[in-house]
Amino acid sequence: MIIGMGSDLCNIERIRNSIDRFGDRFIDRVFTEVEKAKAARRPLTIAGTLAKRFAAKEAFSKAVGTGFKAGVFMKDIGVVNAKSGAPTLALTGGAAARLAAITPDGYEAIVHLTLTDDHPWAQAFVVIEARPLAEKSAV
């Protein structure tokens, strides 16, 4: 069952302007080490890379119904890649706690994420699925 859904559209130039104005202070406040490393490997598209991740953080905060309050902070939400290369989220702190709070007993939360960009826009969609936990068989 779907327990949360969120989307966000982010202007890449807005992120570029924040980087130009605030530099590392902005980047360090918003992005995880993994996200910063990914962006550093893409110097020609750093703003687009970070804008997609910014949009993912916003989309997740909407999907859990809090925005960036109730203990949910941007750095608690990190975009990582699964072994397949697909983007997903690594959650810590208040973001992980909020996800646990909205996940029904007997279920596990699965976070689905998709990212795209077409200058000057970056977009993210998050769908949170609750799947029943598999029952352990008696041996």
Side-chain angles (χ1 to χ4, degrees), residues 49-101:
T49 298
L50 293 176
K52 285 188 283 188
R53 281 144 185 82
F54 191 94
K57 294 166 187 287
E58 291 276 359
F60 176 83
S61 76
K62 294 170 184 176
V64 295
T66 59
F68 292 106
K69 53 186 174 185
V72 176
F73 298 102
M74 284 202 163
K75 280 191 80 167
D76 291 342
I77 307 161
V79 176
V80 297
N81 293 92
K83 288 181 182 182
S84 67
T88 189
L89 295 177
L91 306 171
T92 60
R98 179 61 183 159
L99 181 61

